Amino acid sequence: MNKNRIPMIAGNWKMHLNAKEAGELALALKKGLNPDLPHEVLVAPTYTNLWAVRQALAGSKIILSSQDVHWEEKGAFTGAVSPAQVLDAGCTHAIIGHSERRKIFGETDEIVNKKMKAALKHNLVPVLCIGETLEERESQRTYRVLETQLAGAFSGLKAEETVRVVIAYEPVWAIGTGKTATPEQAQDAHVFIRRQMEKLYGKDYASRVRVLYGGSVKADNIDSLMAQPDIDGALVGGESLKADKFLRVIHFEEALAR
Ligand code: PGA
């Protein structure tokens, strides 16, 4: 982490938990959170659990996010949820372009771009996910993939429209596999991402944008990841479903030392 950027620790609860369980988990996080922590904590429950989690989090600084958002305002889009509906459910942020959306639901960079534009238009903060597959890494295409995904996601957007966007670097091979990128591998990718953002929007923008790491982040590896200067936080899947473990991730060593 770098003290000029506010760290963010985000929990992606994916398609887990019922409303009661999600509410209980949120309550446990609210109770266990050190109120003096200077950084941002975010949870992204399943749509159907947003209401329960919103109620549980009332009065806390924990941020509520959706796991996705559709680009259209309203209409015949069965199964989709609009930016206005996500806001109405209490979310201020939306995860966009998660690799599971890209892989399982066929989301292209073009779709990701539409979602980015729709979210920003409605003042929803996108948490944009990018990352390479194992095959892409092994064939030395990591940087090319990241460059393409970033160019696609930000296409047609001006710097001033995107200042609040948070980027999450999530190597696909590290998600849910227990195989974390080494802190050095993550740091290298983050530096590359920052360089791309500099090309798109300039030095000042690049030095401010927050880049989270995601992929098998755990209570026992968060400290070494956060010790890297360009890792500004984490997007956590599995480990964010257990209150004690996720609280340990949130309260990573350097945060407490500040
Ligand atoms: P994981 O998931 O922590 O379970 O690997 C991360 C993510 O998909 O955001």
Side-chain angles (χ1 to χ4, degrees), residues 105-124:
F105 300 98
E107 286 191 10
T108 59
D109 287 330
E110 212 178 4
I111 290 175
V112 170
N113 181 240
K114 282 190 192 179
K115 291 183 171 184
M116 289 280 286
K117 286 179 173 157
L120 289 166
K121 184 173 162 206
H122 286 84
N123 239 340
L124 262 178

Side-chain angles (χ1 to χ4, degrees), residues 234-251:
L235 180 51
V236 188
E239 196 85 328
S240 72
L241 293 167
K242 299 164 256 176
D244 57 334
K245 299 281 188 190
F246 191 43
L247 280 165
R248 175 61 185 83
V249 173
I250 292 168
H251 299 92

